[in-house]
Amino acid sequence: MDNKKIIAGNWKMNLDYNESKELIQNIASSEGDFNADAEIVVFPSMPFLSVFHELLKDNNVRLGAQNCYIKNSGAFTGETSPTQLKSLGVTYCLVGHSERREIFAEDYDLLAKKVKALLEVNITPVFCCGEKLQVRESNVYKEFVMRQIEESLFSLSPQDLAKVVIAYEPVWAIGTGKTATAEQAQEIHNLIRNRIAKEFGEKTANSISIIYGGSMNPDNARELLAQKDIDGGLIGGASLDADLFAQISTSYSE
Ligand code: PGA
């Protein structure tokens, strides 16, 4: 497989400017503690991106945004466009995090448009999917996650789909301290890869990175990252600590 290992930190709406700056400086100065074979990405709050781009200039840590709009300019008060992000040196952007689907009612169609708008300016979309506890318990969780992927990603060309990173984040595991077991996560990752292979061919399926999110920490990362179809992690809580974040990044087994 030629897909990338990715360890990404989703800071959400946490930390004020000074706290965020301290964290980014800690990450930048402890670069040697991070896994050099993995792409390390941080997703701080939008207003800090410009300054943080400067701070990360001589560093391999990549900068990501937590959200964007579907248009590049115009009368869309409060929104940020893919071209604006691009001009700040942003190279990744989250799309469809469960908090945005749930709190901001983002639907399949909007998310499909966000993915396309980002790809047009060469920003890598990190497309999040995952089921709530209710769906998991009702046993249609596989169909549910497949539908999220099909509805928002399957109108892409194979070349474009290969540029997307998919993050499987079971909602019941986000911020709850309750991680999916390695088997539960691998089951869905494998399903996603097989579904992509069926629709777009093995080459595309094998080049796409599928990362896991939901209470990942240094204690559970090794087992999760050892799974065949788990290529990395999208880490919330534990990414707010540079040491824990670095430890997770080095949890790939040889
Ligand atoms: P968590 O968040 O690691 O705090 O569970 C993950 C995410 O929401 O991306």
Side-chain angles (χ1 to χ4, degrees):
M1 287 210 258
D2 47 6
N3 48 12
K4 254 190 224 166
K5 292 184 170 109
I6 298 172
I7 296 293
N10 174 13
W11 297 3
K12 310 193 180 187
M13 201 178 72
N14 292 304
L15 311 182
D16 68 15
Y17 175 63
N18 290 324
E19 293 163 338
S20 301
K21 194 168 163 199
E22 196 182 322
L23 177 56
I24 206 110
Q25 280 166 333
N26 280 342
I27 292 172
S29 64
S30 55
E31 207 190 348
D33 297 340
F34 283 84
N35 184 344
D37 292 335
E39 179 106 307
I40 309 298
V41 192
V42 288
F43 294 88
S45 286
M46 201 72 88
F48 312 148
L49 292 175
S50 162
V51 175
F52 291 2
H53 175 53
E54 284 301 307
L55 293 174
L56 293 175
K57 223 167 42 198
D58 303 319
N59 201 283
N60 283 325
V61 177
R62 304 272 175 248
L63 193 60
Q66 296 175 19
N67 186 31
C68 72
Y69 192 53
I70 58 175
K71 303 275 188 195
N72 277 326
S73 64
F76 304 103
T77 303
E79 293 297 317
T80 309
S81 77
T83 44
Q84 289 174 328
L85 294 176
K86 186 80 190 169
S87 71
L88 295 176
V90 164
T91 50
Y92 285 84
C93 184
L94 298 180
V95 176
H97 189 280
S98 60
E99 287 146 22
R100 296 218 55 93
R101 291 180 193 256
E102 182 71 15
I103 307 166
F104 302 98
E106 296 194 351
D107 62 16
Y108 298 147
D109 184 48
L110 180 78
L111 301 179
K113 289 181 176 141
K114 287 191 179 191
V115 168
K116 285 190 182 131
L118 288 164
L119 288 171
E120 270 168 28
V121 297
N122 276 321
I123 292 179
T124 303
V126 178
F127 179 82
C128 307
C129 58
E131 78 290 353
K132 289 198 227 170
L133 187 59
Q134 218 181 334
V135 178
R136 163 74 45 176
E137 287 173 344
S138 71
N139 249 332
V140 291
Y141 61 94
K142 295 183 203 164
E143 294 78 0
F144 180 88
V145 176
M146 286 311 107
R147 179 141 192 239
Q148 290 181 318
I149 304 249
E150 288 163 16
E151 296 278 347
S152 299
L153 298 180
F154 275 26
S155 61
L156 294 173
S157 66
Q159 293 77 8
D160 276 350
L161 183 64
K163 295 178 195 154
V164 176
V165 173
I166 296 179
Y168 170 58
E169 300 201 296
V171 182
W172 47 273
I174 295 180
T176 57
K178 201 168 150 188
T179 328
T181 63
E183 293 72 33
Q184 284 173 322
Q186 166 62 18
E187 179 189 43
I188 298 291
H189 283 235
N190 181 256
L191 208 67
I192 294 172
R193 202 174 313 274
N194 287 343
R195 183 71 189 89
I196 291 172
K198 199 165 156 226
E199 193 77 17
F200 295 86
E202 294 282 335
K203 192 166 168 267
T204 305
N206 288 336
S207 59
I208 198 160
S209 298
I210 310 177
I211 64 179
Y212 169 81
S215 299
M216 205 184 214
N217 60 47
D219 295 331
N220 58 35
R222 188 164 297 276
E223 207 190 341
L224 286 159
L225 295 171
Q227 303 305 308
K228 184 172 165 288
D229 292 296
I230 301 185
D231 304 311
L234 179 56
I235 300 114
S239 74
L240 300 176
D241 179 312
D243 278 349
L244 298 182
F245 191 44
Q247 280 177 46
I248 294 173
S249 82
T250 54
S251 297
Y252 287 96
S253 11
E254 293 312 312

